[in-house]
C-alpha cells in the first residue's frame, strides 16, 4: 500500500512539471517580444557644445536590432515574411553617418563645413521648439515607451532634451499597445557600385575668368529710389502674409490651402513650402522667421513618409536638396553657423544617392524608399522626361563642392556624359532631345531578337535530347530481344552505341546529334555545350535504370537579356516631341548654369548649350501675328516621326513653363559673348509680357496657341488669316453657306409663285359671283389629280372609299363612277371649263403673267432650308464663348498656379540690360497676380485667367514663396543682392555660390 502511494506522488509531481513546462512554452513568444523591445544601453550622444548643432533622433539613437529589419520588411510586404523568417541572419540596419564633413576653405572658392567650428550656444537666438509640438511615434508594438526629444536647436542653443522621433508632421499617434511600428528607409549595400578609382571627381584648377553678366548700375536718383523701395515693401508684405498663413494653418506640411485654411502633402509631407522658402526668408531680411523655420527643419525625418511610398526624385532634389543647400550658402555657409541645414542636406542626399544604384547609373526617378523594395536591384525606366533626368546636376554638384565628396558629383556627371554622347551621336533634331527618354541602357529591339534566337536554340536542344533518349531506348530494347546466338555481336554494338555519348564523332564526322525534323537534318549541341549554356554542374547528367544517358537541367533563374546602349528616344510610338516647355525645360537651363557653377572648368556644358541654342533658333523660334505688330518671339513644339525635314508638324504654342527661355538666352549670350542671343532673350521675354497684358485678368494662361508669321522680319496683322486659324473648317463652312444661299433662293422663288397662284382668277379667289364659293372650289380642285379625263387637264380620281357592307365590288365601282362624273361636271361648271382643250389653252394664254400651279405643285410643301453656321458667326461665337484675347487661337489650359517663369526672365533682362522698363512691366504683372489670387491667408491658384474674376483652386504651390515672390523682390532690390556675377540660381530659384 505504501509503495502504491509513493508511485502516486511521483505521478502527481510529474504532471505538475509537465503542466509548468507547457505554460512556459506557451508564453515564450511573449517573453521574447518583451526582451527584444528593450533597447540596448549606449554611450550618451555628444553635447550641443561639442557638436555645434542638434541631431535628429535617427542620428542619436542606436542602430536598430537585427529583428527590427525583419519587422520593417514584414510590415511593408507580408509576402516576404516567410523568406525573411527563414534566413539565417537578418541584415543589419545601417544608418548613414551624417556628421558634418570637416575641412578648410580652399582659397575662398568653396565653403566647407567643419564640425569643430561650433556656434556658441550663448550667442544663438534660436528658440527650442515646444516639446509638445514634436512628432511622436512608438518603437515597439507591445510597450508604451516614453518619447524622447531631439537636439537642442538649429544652432546648438542650450536647453533640456526634447522628446519624440520625428515622424511626418502632424501625424501624432497615441502610445498604445496596438500602435504600429514606423517604417524607415534603410541603407543597403549597392548592387552596382562604382569603384573608388572610377569615381568622376570635381574639376580641379582655378576657375576661368568669366564675362560679366550684370549691367553696371549707376547711382539712382532719389525719386527713382523711393519708387523702387515702395514696390519692394509691397512685395515683402505679400511674402509676410503668405508665410504667416502657412505657419498658422500648415506648419510642418507641404503646402497651404489658402482658401479653406487647411494643408496638403503632395511631396512626402516633409514641409516643402518651409524648406523651399528658407533662402527667401533670409534674402528678404526675415531673420526671426528664418530661425523659427530651422526648428521645423530639424524635425523633418527624410527616412519615412506616411503620405507617399515613392519619392519624386526631381521635385525632391530641386525643392528640398536645393533649398537646404542654398539656405546654407546665403546664410553664410560654415561661418554662418546653421549647420543643421548642411546636416539635413546630407541626410537627404544619402537617401537620394540610392536612386543611382542601377546597371548604367542612370537614376530611378520615382524611388520606393521602403526597405522591402529599396534592397532590391533596380533599373532606370523607359519613357522618363528629359527635365527629370537632366535637372539634378546643380544641387548635387554644389553639395559635392561644399562637402568635398566626389560621389555626389559623379552621380550627376554620368548623366551629363550620357546626354553629351547622345547629342554627339545625333537625334532627329540635332542638338536637342525628344521629350521622352529611354534611360534603361538596354536596346529593347535587340533584346527581343536575342530572346527569339535563344528560344529557337532551346527548342533544338530539346529536340536533340528527345531524339537521343529515344535512340538509346530503342537500342536497349533491341538488345533485350536478341538471342544467345547473337549475344556477342549485340554486346559489341551496344557497347559502341553507349560509348558514343553526345559530343563524340558521328558517322559523318560531326560532334553533335543528328536530328531529322520536318524532312530536314539538324544537329543538337553536344552534352558539354548543353551543360555550359545552362550553367549546370557535372552531376546534372544522370544515368537512368535502362542505361540511357540524359541531361536533366535543374531549374534556374532566367537571365535578363540586355544589349547595352546609351540614352535614346523613349516614346513607345514612333512620334517624338521636341520643345523648350514642360518635361524638357530645366535640363537645357542647367547647361550654362553648370558651366558657371564649375567655374568654366568642364567644357561639355558649353558645347551642350551652344548646340541647343542653334537647334532652337533653326526649328522652334517663331514670331506670332498679333494686332499691334509687336516684335516678340515664342518657342514652338515639333512632332516628328524621325524625319523632321519631311514629316514635322508644329504646334505654335505659348506656355508659361517655356517663359524661362528668355533668361536662358540672355544669360548664355552674356557669358559666351553672343550678342544675338541677348536680343533673342529680350524678345522671348517680351512675348510672355504680352501674354500677360492680353488677358482680362492680366495673367498669362498656362498654355495657349497663336498664329505664326511666315517671316520673322515681315509680320503684320491679317484679320482674315487669324479667323481662318480660329475656324479650321472655314472652307467647308463657306461651301455650306453657298449651297444654302442657292437653296434659299429657289425656295423664295417657289413661295412667290405659290403666292401669286393663290390669287389667280381661274381659281375663283376673286370671283365672288360665280355661284361657287372659294371654299367649295378649293375642295373640288383638291379632288382633281392627273389621270384619265379630258384632254386638256389631267384629273386623278380621289381615293376610293371602302365598299359598304352588303355591297358588291361591281356595285361599288358603279357608284364611284357616277359620283366622279357628277363631281367633274360640277367643277367644270364652276370654273367655266368644258371638254375642249382649245378653250383651256386660250384661257391660260390670256393671263400668261400668272401661270397657274398644277394641283401637284400646289399640294407639295417646300420647307425653308436651314441656315448653317457661317464662318463669321462661328469665329465670333468662339471668341465670345472662350473669352479669347486678340491673337490667341485657343487657351485650353487657362489656369494660373502662381508660376514664376515669366517674372524670372523679366528679372534676368533687368539685371542684364539695366533697362528700368522691365521693372515697370514686372509691376503690372505683380499687381495683376496679387489682385486675382489674394486670399486672407495667402495666395491661391486660379482656374481661368481669361475671366476678370476667376474661381480660386485653393492651392498655393511652394514655389510661390520660393520663386515667384523672390524674383519680384529681387527685381526691386539693390542689384548687388544676389548678383548674377556671384550667384547662380537653380530651376527653383535657389541661389548657389559661384566659385571665384
Amino acid at each position: 500500500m505504501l509503495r502504491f502511494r509513493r508511485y502516486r506522488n511521483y505521478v502527481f509531481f510529474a504532471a505538475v512539471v509537465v503542466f509548468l513546462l507547457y505554460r512556459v512554452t506557451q508564453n515564450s513568444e511573449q517573453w521574447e517580444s518583451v526582451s527584444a523591445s528593450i533597447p540596448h544601453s549606449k554611450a550618451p550622444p555628444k553635447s550641443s557644445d561639442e557638436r555645434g548643432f542638434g541631431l535628429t533622433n535617427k542620428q542619436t539613437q542606436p542602430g536598430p536590432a537585427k529583428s527590427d529589419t525583419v519587422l520593417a520588411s514584414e510590415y511593408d510586404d507580408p509576402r516576404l515574411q516567410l523568406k525573411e523568417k527563414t534566413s539565417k541572419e537578418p541584415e543589419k540596419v545601417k544608418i548613414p553617418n551624417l556628421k558634418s564633413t570637416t575641412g578648410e576653405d580652399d582659397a575662398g572658392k568653396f565653403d566647407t563645413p567643419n564640425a569643430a567650428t561650433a556656434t556658441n550656444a550663448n550667442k544663438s537666438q534660436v528658440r527650442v521648439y515646444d516639446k509638445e509640438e514634436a512628432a511622436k511615434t512608438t518603437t515597439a508594438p507591445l510597450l508604451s515607451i516614453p518619447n524622447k526629444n531631439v537636439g537642442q536647436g538649429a544652432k546648438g542653443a542650450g536647453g533640456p532634451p526634447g522628446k519624440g522621433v520625428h515622424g511626418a508632421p502632424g501625424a501624432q499617434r497615441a502610445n498604445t499597445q496596438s500602435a504600429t511600428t514606423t517604417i524607415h528607409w534603410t541603407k543597403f549595400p549597392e548592387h552596382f557600385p562604382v569603384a573608388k578609382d572610377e569615381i568622376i571627381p570635381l574639376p580641379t584648377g582655378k576657375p576661368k575668368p568669366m564675362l560679366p553678366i550684370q549691367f553696371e548700375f549707376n547711382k539712382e536718383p532719389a525719386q527713382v529710389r523711393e519708387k523702387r523701395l515702395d514696390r519692394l515693401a509691397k512685395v515683402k508684405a505679400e511674402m509676410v502674409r503668405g508665410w504667416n498663413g502657412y505657419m498658422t494653418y500648415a506648419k510642418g506640411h507641404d503646402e497651404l490651402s489658402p482658401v479653406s485654411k487647411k494643408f496638403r502633402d503632395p511631396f512626402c509631407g516633409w514641409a516643402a513650402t518651409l524648406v523651399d522658402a528658407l533662402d527667401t526668408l533670409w534674402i528678404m531680411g526675415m531673420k526671426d522667421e528664418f530661425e523659427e523655420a530651422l526648428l521645423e527643419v530639424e524635425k523633418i525625418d527624410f527616412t519615412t513618409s506616411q503620405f507617399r511610398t515613392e519619392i519624386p526624385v526631381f521635385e525632391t532634389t530641386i525643392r528640398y536638396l536645393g533649398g537646404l543647400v542654398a539656405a546654407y550658402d546665403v546664410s553664410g555657409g560654415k561661418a554662418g553657423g546653421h549647420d543643421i541645414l548642411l546636416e539635413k542636406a546630407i541626410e537627404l542626399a544619402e537617401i537620394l544617392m540610392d536612386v543611382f544604384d542601377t546597371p548604367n547609373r542612370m537614376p530611378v526617378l520615382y524611388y520606393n524608399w521602403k526597405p522591402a523594395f529599396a534592397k532590391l536591384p533596380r533599373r532606370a525606366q523607359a519613357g522618363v522626361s528629359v527635365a527629370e533626368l537632366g535637372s539634378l546636376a546643380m544641387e548635387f554638384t554644389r553639395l559635392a563642392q561644399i562637402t568635398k565628396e566626389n560621389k555626389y558629383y559623379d552621380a550627376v556627371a554620368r548623366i551629363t556624359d550620357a546626354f553629351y554622347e547622345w547629342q554627339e551621336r545625333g537625334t532627329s533634331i540635332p542638338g536637342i532631345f525628344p521629350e521622352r527618354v529611354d534611360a534603361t541602357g538596354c536596346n529593347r529591339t535587340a533584346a527581343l531578337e536575342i530572346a527569339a534566337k535563344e528560344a529557337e536554340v532551346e527548342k533544338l536542344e530539346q529536340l536533340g535530347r528527345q531524339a537521343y533518349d529515344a535512340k538509346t531506348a530503342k537500342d536497349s530494347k533491341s538488345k533485350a530481344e536478341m538471342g544467345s546466338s547473337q549475344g556477342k555481336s549485340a554486346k559489341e554494338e551496344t557497347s559502341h552505341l553507349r560509348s558514343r555519348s553526345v559530343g563524340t564523332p558521328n558517322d559523318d564526322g560531326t560532334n553533335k546529334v543528328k536530328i531529322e525534323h520536318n524532312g530536314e537534318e539538324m544537329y543538337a549541341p553536344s552534352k558539354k555545350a548543353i551543360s555550359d549554356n545552362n550553367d549546370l554542374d557535372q552531376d546534372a547528367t544522370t544515368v537512368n535504370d535502362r542505361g540511357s544517358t540524359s541531361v536533366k537541367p535543374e531549374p534556374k533563374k532566367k537571365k535578363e537579356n540586355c544589349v547595352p546602349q546609351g540614352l535614346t528616344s523613349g516614346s513607345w510610338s514612333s512620334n517624338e516631341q521636341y520643345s523648350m516647355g514642360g518635361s524638357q525645360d530645366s535640363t537645357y537651363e542647367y547647361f550654362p548654369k553648370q558651366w558657371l557653377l564649375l567655374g568654366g572648368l568642364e567644357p561639355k556644358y558649353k558645347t551642350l548649350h551652344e548646340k541647343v541654342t542653334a537647334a532652337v533658333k533653326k526649328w522652334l523660334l517663331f514670331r506670332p501675328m498679333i494686332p499691334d505688330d509687336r516684335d516678340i518671339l515664342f518657342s514652338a513644339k515639333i512632332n516628328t516621326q524621325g524625319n523632321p525635314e519631311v514629316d514635322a508638324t508644329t504646334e505654335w504654342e505659348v506656355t508659361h513653363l517655356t517663359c524661362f527661355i528668355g533668361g536662358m538666352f540672355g544669360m548664355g549670350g552674356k557669358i559666351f559673348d553672343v550678342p544675338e542671343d541677348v536680343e533673342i532673350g529680350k524678345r522671348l521675354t517680351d512675348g510672355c509680357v504680352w501674354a500677360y497684358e492680353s488677358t482680362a485678368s492680366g495673367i498669362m494662361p498656362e498654355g495657349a496657341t497663336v498664329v505664326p508669321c511666315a517671316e520673322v522680319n515681315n509680320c503684320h496683322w491679317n484679320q482674315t488669316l487669324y479667323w481662318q486659324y480660329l475656324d479650321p473648317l472655314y472652307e467647308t463652312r463657306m461651301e455650306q453657306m453657298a449651297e444654302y444661299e442657292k437653296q434659299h433662293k429657289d425656295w423664295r422663288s417657289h413661295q412667290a409663285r405659290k403666292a401669286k397662284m393663290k390669287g389667280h382668277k381661274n381659281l375663283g379667289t376673286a370671283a365672288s359671283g360665280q355661284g361657287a364659293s372659294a371654299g367649295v372650289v378649293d375642295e373640288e380642285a383638291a379632288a382633281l389629280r392627273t389621270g384619265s379625263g379630258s384632254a386638256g387637264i389631267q384629273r386623278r380620281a380621289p381615293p376610293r372609299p371602302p365598299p359598304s357592307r352588303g355591297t358588291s365590288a361591281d356595285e361599288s365601282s358603279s357608284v364611284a363612277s357616277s359620283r366622279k362624273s357628277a363631281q367633274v361636271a360640277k367643277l367644270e361648271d364652276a370654273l367655266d371649263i368644258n371638254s375642249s382643250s382649245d378653250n383651256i389653252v386660250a384661257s391660260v394664254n390670256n393671263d400668261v403673267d400668272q401661270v397657274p400651279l398644277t394641283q401637284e405643285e400646289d399640294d407639295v410643301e417646300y420647307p425653308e432650308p436651314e441656315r448653317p453656321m457661317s464662318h463669321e458667326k462661328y469665329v465670333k461665337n468662339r471668341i465670345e464663348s472662350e473669352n479669347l484675347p486678340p491673337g490667341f487661337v485657343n487657351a485650353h489650359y487657362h489656369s494660373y498656379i502662381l508660376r514664376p517663369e515669366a517674372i524670372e526672365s523679366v528679372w534676368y533682362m533687368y539685371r542684364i540690360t539695366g533697362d528700368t522698363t522691365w521693372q515697370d512691366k514686372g509691376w503690372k504683372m505683380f499687381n495683376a497676380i496679387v489682385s486675382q489670387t489674394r486670399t486672407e491667408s495667402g495666395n491661391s491658384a486660379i482656374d481661368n485667367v481669361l475671366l476678370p474674376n476667376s474661381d480660386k483652386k485653393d492651392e498655393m504651390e511652394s514655389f510661390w514663396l520660393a520663386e515667384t515672390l523672390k524674383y519680384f523682390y529681387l527685381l526691386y532690390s539693390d542689384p548687388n543682392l544676389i548678383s548674377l556675377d556671384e550667384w547662380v540660381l537653380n530651376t527653383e530659384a535657389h541661389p548657389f555660390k559661384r566659385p571665384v
Side-chain angles (χ1 to χ4, degrees):
M1 188 66 178
L2 180 63
R3 188 175 183 181
F4 172 78
R5 294 179 63 184
R6 185 170 64 248
Y7 288 146
R8 183 175 60 183
N9 291 336
Y10 290 157
V11 172
F12 176 79
F13 180 75
V16 171
V17 172
V18 170
F19 176 78
L20 290 176
L21 289 174
Y22 171 77
R23 294 296 297 173
V24 170
T25 304
Q26 291 287 356
N27 294 331
S28 62
E29 182 178 354
Q30 181 175 358
W31 284 104
E32 289 173 2
S33 64
V34 172
S35 63
S37 65
I38 299 176
H40 299 285
S41 60
K42 294 287 183 178
K46 293 184 179 180
S47 65
S48 60
D49 293 333
E50 290 176 304
R51 294 187 60 85
F53 52 85
L55 294 176
T56 63
N57 187 75
K58 184 182 71 64
Q59 296 163 297
T60 58
Q61 69 181 359
K66 293 180 179 180
S67 61
D68 292 343
T69 304
V70 179
L71 287 173
S73 299
E74 291 172 359
Y75 177 83
D76 180 72
D77 192 348
R79 295 171 296 178
L80 300 177
Q81 292 182 12
L82 180 61
K83 182 178 178 179
E84 296 284 1
K85 290 181 178 179
T86 55
S87 61
K88 294 182 179 179
E89 183 178 358
E91 289 185 320
K92 185 177 180 180
V93 177
K94 297 181 181 180
I95 302 296
N97 183 6
L98 301 180
K99 295 181 180 179
S100 60
T101 305
T102 60
E104 299 294 331
D105 281 343
D106 186 10
K109 285 191 276 187
F110 304 116
D111 293 328
T112 306
N114 191 338
T117 60
T119 303
N120 192 326
N122 296 328
K123 296 181 181 179
S124 174
Q125 300 283 331
V126 180
R127 295 166 292 170
V128 178
Y129 61 86
D130 186 356
K131 64 182 181 180
E132 294 298 329
E133 295 178 357
K136 303 173 184 178
T137 187
T138 58
T139 57
L142 297 176
L143 294 179
S144 179
I145 300 176
N147 294 324
K148 299 178 178 62
N149 196 18
V150 179
Q152 292 79 30
K155 294 179 67 176
K163 65 177 181 178
V165 179
H166 295 321
Q172 300 184 4
R173 299 179 185 275
N175 291 328
T176 63
Q177 288 187 336
S178 61
T180 58
T181 302
T182 300
I183 302 174
H184 290 270
W185 171 84
T186 302
K187 182 71 174 178
F188 292 98
E190 286 193 329
H191 296 279
F192 311 99
V194 177
K196 289 185 178 180
D197 58 347
E198 295 180 1
I199 293 177
I200 302 174
L202 281 163
T204 58
K206 185 178 180 180
K208 293 185 177 181
M210 301 284 182
L211 292 173
I213 300 175
Q214 284 211 164
F215 180 79
E216 292 186 7
F217 291 90
N218 298 320
K219 185 177 180 180
E220 60 189 347
Q223 185 178 2
V224 174
R225 183 174 184 274
E226 182 180 357
K227 180 180 179 181
R228 177 180 62 80
L229 292 179
D230 179 66
R231 291 175 173 179
L232 188 71
K234 291 180 179 179
V235 174
K236 182 176 179 179
E238 286 300 309
M239 174 66 186
V240 171
R241 196 167 54 82
W243 176 258
N244 289 339
Y246 168 78
M247 293 297 285
T248 301
Y249 302 108
K251 180 171 66 173
H253 293 275
D254 284 342
E255 294 176 358
L256 168 69
S257 298
V259 177
S260 62
K261 298 180 182 179
K262 297 180 181 179
F263 53 81
R264 304 190 311 142
D265 288 289
F267 301 113
C268 297
W270 296 332
T273 295
L274 185 142
V275 176
D276 224 0
L278 285 171
D279 51 12
T280 306
L281 293 172
W282 186 273
I283 290 169
M284 292 190 181
M286 300 171 65
K287 301 301 174 60
D288 290 341
E289 290 85 349
F290 180 82
E291 301 291 352
E292 182 184 9
L294 293 185
L295 300 175
E296 297 299 320
V297 170
E298 189 181 9
K299 299 178 187 179
I300 300 172
D301 186 355
F302 291 118
T303 66
T304 189
S305 171
Q306 65 173 338
F307 303 103
R308 294 189 65 153
T309 59
E310 289 186 335
I311 298 175
V313 175
F314 164 70
E315 297 288 356
T316 302
T317 300
I318 65 172
R319 299 185 195 226
Y320 289 99
L321 185 59
L324 292 167
V325 172
Y328 181 79
D329 263 352
V330 299
S331 63
K334 179 179 62 178
H338 300 95
D339 299 316
I340 186 65
L341 294 169
L342 182 59
E343 176 198 352
K344 284 296 182 180
I346 295 173
E347 177 186 333
L348 177 59
E350 287 300 313
I351 297 172
L352 295 178
M353 281 295 292
D354 207 30
V355 308
F356 300 98
D357 183 22
T358 62
N360 62 346
R361 304 300 294 182
M362 294 298 104
V364 174
L365 295 173
Y366 290 88
Y367 172 62
N368 194 320
W369 56 268
K370 292 189 175 181
F373 300 95
K375 68 183 179 181
L376 302 175
R378 64 192 68 86
R379 182 183 292 280
Q381 299 97 328
V384 302
S385 74
V386 169
E388 290 183 310
L389 182 61
S391 303
L392 311 175
M394 293 185 66
E395 296 77 11
F396 279 93
T397 296
R398 183 58 187 145
L399 184 62
Q401 291 173 341
I402 294 172
T403 63
K404 308 300 184 188
E405 287 285 352
N406 283 323
K407 65 179 182 179
Y408 298 131
Y409 178 72
D410 171 86
V412 293
R414 292 177 184 274
I415 301 175
T416 299
D417 290 346
F419 274 113
Y420 182 82
E421 186 275 333
W422 193 11
Q423 193 183 65
E424 293 295 311
R425 182 171 16 111
T427 58
S428 298
I429 298 182
I432 55 179
F433 310 103
E435 181 176 311
R436 294 292 159 184
V437 181
D438 182 354
T440 62
C442 294
N443 189 318
R444 290 174 291 178
T445 303
L448 292 175
E449 294 176 355
I450 291 176
K453 291 180 180 178
E454 289 181 345
E456 184 178 353
V457 171
E458 178 65 24
K459 184 178 179 180
L460 290 176
E461 292 176 355
Q462 182 67 22
L463 290 173
R465 288 191 289 267
Q466 292 175 356
Y468 183 80
D469 287 345
K471 183 176 182 181
T472 54
K474 181 179 179 180
D475 292 341
S476 298
K477 183 177 180 180
S478 299
K479 173 192 170 185
E481 294 176 351
M482 287 182 179
S484 57
S485 60
Q486 299 177 342
K488 184 177 180 180
S489 61
K491 287 182 180 181
E492 292 177 354
E493 180 65 19
T494 302
S495 176
H496 173 68
L497 291 174
R498 292 177 62 181
S499 64
R500 184 194 290 174
S501 60
V502 181
T504 57
N506 287 302
D507 296 337
D508 57 0
T510 65
N511 288 340
K512 299 181 180 181
V513 177
K514 184 185 296 184
I515 309 168
E516 290 189 6
H517 179 65
N518 294 334
E520 299 181 1
E521 290 186 355
M522 296 180 291
Y523 296 91
S526 67
K527 177 182 70 174
K528 184 177 185 304
I530 294 174
S531 177
D532 292 343
N533 289 337
N534 290 276
D535 298 325
L536 300 176
D537 296 329
Q538 292 294 330
D539 56 1
T541 303
T542 60
V543 180
N544 59 24
D545 296 336
R546 300 175 65 181
S548 65
T549 304
S550 61
V551 179
K552 297 181 180 180
E554 297 291 334
K556 68 167 185 173
K557 183 178 179 181
K558 186 176 182 181
K559 293 183 178 180
E560 180 185 20
N561 288 326
C562 179
V563 179
Q565 69 173 8
L567 298 179
T568 188
S569 176
S571 175
W572 287 98
S573 66
S574 58
N575 183 62
E576 298 175 356
Q577 290 187 336
Y578 294 82
S579 79
M580 292 288 110
S583 298
Q584 304 182 58
D585 46 3
S586 49
T587 288
Y588 303 119
E589 173 190 355
Y590 272 24
F591 290 154
K593 290 183 175 181
Q594 269 286 93
W595 191 80
L596 288 173
L597 189 58
L598 292 170
L601 298 176
E602 177 49 79
K604 289 179 180 178
Y605 291 104
K606 180 180 179 181
T607 302
L608 286 163
H609 173 75
E610 289 176 340
K611 291 187 177 182
V612 166
T613 54
V616 171
K617 293 175 191 177
K618 178 179 179 181
W619 291 95
L620 302 182
L621 293 186
F622 72 97
R623 180 177 175 181
M625 185 183 70
I626 57 178
D628 60 357
D629 292 346
R630 194 164 168 176
D631 191 2
I632 59 177
L633 293 174
F634 286 108
S635 179
K637 176 186 288 185
I638 285 184
N639 293 271
T640 177
Q641 305 295 317
N643 187 8
E645 297 284 358
V646 176
D647 61 19
T649 59
T650 306
E651 298 177 36
W652 309 106
E653 64 179 13
V654 173
T655 67
H656 205 292
L657 280 169
T658 313
C659 286
F660 86 96
I661 194 175
M664 184 192 80
F665 263 85
M667 186 184 69
K670 293 292 290 185
I671 62 179
F672 299 128
D673 196 18
V674 186
E676 179 190 45
D677 285 2
V678 178
E679 292 301 316
I680 289 174
K682 293 179 184 178
R683 298 185 187 185
L684 286 165
T685 304
D686 207 28
C688 293
V689 172
W690 167 81
Y692 266 78
E693 297 172 349
S694 299
T695 65
S697 65
I699 304 175
M700 177 183 181
E702 187 77 5
T705 58
V706 292
V707 179
C709 287
E711 300 179 20
V712 173
N713 298 318
N714 183 22
C715 184
H716 303 285
W717 177 251
N718 185 329
Q719 179 82 14
T720 302
L721 180 61
Y722 173 58
W723 279 23
Q724 290 175 357
Y725 269 84
L726 285 171
D727 182 12
L729 299 177
Y730 74 94
E731 292 180 339
T732 302
R733 226 175 289 282
M734 287 181 170
E735 292 175 358
Q736 291 174 346
M737 280 302 299
E739 181 65 22
Y740 163 77
E741 293 292 347
K742 179 180 178 182
Q743 293 178 0
H744 196 264
K745 181 179 180 180
D746 293 342
W747 179 81
R748 289 197 307 269
S749 201
H750 172 77
Q751 292 298 105
R753 289 199 306 271
K754 186 175 181 180
K756 288 182 180 181
M757 198 61 207
K758 286 183 178 180
H760 197 279
K761 64 183 180 179
N762 288 337
L763 292 178
T765 58
S768 58
Q770 293 278 333
S773 66
V776 174
V777 174
D778 290 343
E779 181 181 354
E780 299 296 340
L784 296 177
R785 293 294 183 268
T786 58
S788 60
S790 64
I793 298 179
Q794 294 181 342
R795 302 181 180 89
R796 179 178 298 174
R800 296 181 180 180
S804 60
R805 293 182 181 180
T807 305
S808 65
D810 293 337
E811 291 174 343
S812 298
S813 177
S814 175
V815 171
S817 176
S818 62
R819 182 176 298 175
K820 174 184 175 182
S821 300
Q823 289 176 344
V824 170
K826 183 177 180 180
L827 183 59
E828 288 177 350
D829 293 339
L831 299 178
D832 195 18
I833 298 174
N834 54 35
S835 59
S836 174
S837 62
D838 294 337
N839 293 336
I840 297 174
V841 173
S843 175
V844 172
N845 290 336
N846 290 335
D847 196 6
V848 294
D849 59 330
Q850 293 187 13
V851 179
L853 296 174
T854 65
Q855 199 63 38
E856 288 181 340
E857 292 175 334
D858 191 41
D859 288 343
V860 174
E861 290 293 334
Y862 286 93
E864 181 179 4
E866 183 178 356
R867 183 183 182 88
M869 177 79 73
S870 69
H871 169 58
E872 179 180 2
K873 186 176 181 180
Y874 174 83
V875 169
K876 290 182 177 179
N877 284 349
R878 266 204 67 190
I879 293 174
E880 181 180 1
S881 63
E882 299 179 24
N883 300 287
L884 289 175
F888 282 74
V889 174
N890 70 59
H892 296 319
Y893 305 99
H894 46 58
S895 63
Y896 173 66
I897 61 173
L898 308 174
R899 284 200 184 278
E901 289 79 15
I903 190 60
E904 171 186 351
S905 286
V906 169
W907 174 68
Y908 273 100
M909 287 300 106
Y910 170 67
R911 290 290 185 91
I912 290 172
T913 66
D915 186 353
T916 57
T917 59
W918 293 111
Q919 289 181 314
D920 296 333
K921 294 173 182 178
W923 190 242
K924 290 181 180 178
M925 296 164 63
F926 176 79
N927 286 326
I929 292 172
V930 170
S931 65
Q932 295 292 321
T933 66
R934 177 180 286 170
T935 69
E936 183 180 348
S937 60
N939 295 79
S940 172
I942 58 177
D943 181 65
N944 193 343
V945 300
L946 305 180
L947 303 176
N949 293 291
S950 172
D951 294 334
K952 293 179 173 62
K953 302 176 69 174
D954 199 20
E955 297 173 0
M956 191 176 86
E957 291 269 1
S958 70
F959 51 63
W960 169 246
L961 305 184
E963 296 188 74
T964 311
L965 288 179
K966 183 186 295 171
Y967 283 124
F968 275 119
Y969 187 86
L970 292 174
L971 182 61
Y972 305 110
S973 70
D974 187 299
N976 292 321
L977 180 62
I978 310 297
S979 168
L980 288 173
D981 293 324
E982 298 175 0
W983 300 84
V984 56
L985 283 69
N986 83 336
T987 192
E988 195 74 6
H990 294 309
F992 299 150
K993 191 72 175 174
R994 284 175 50 184
V996 293

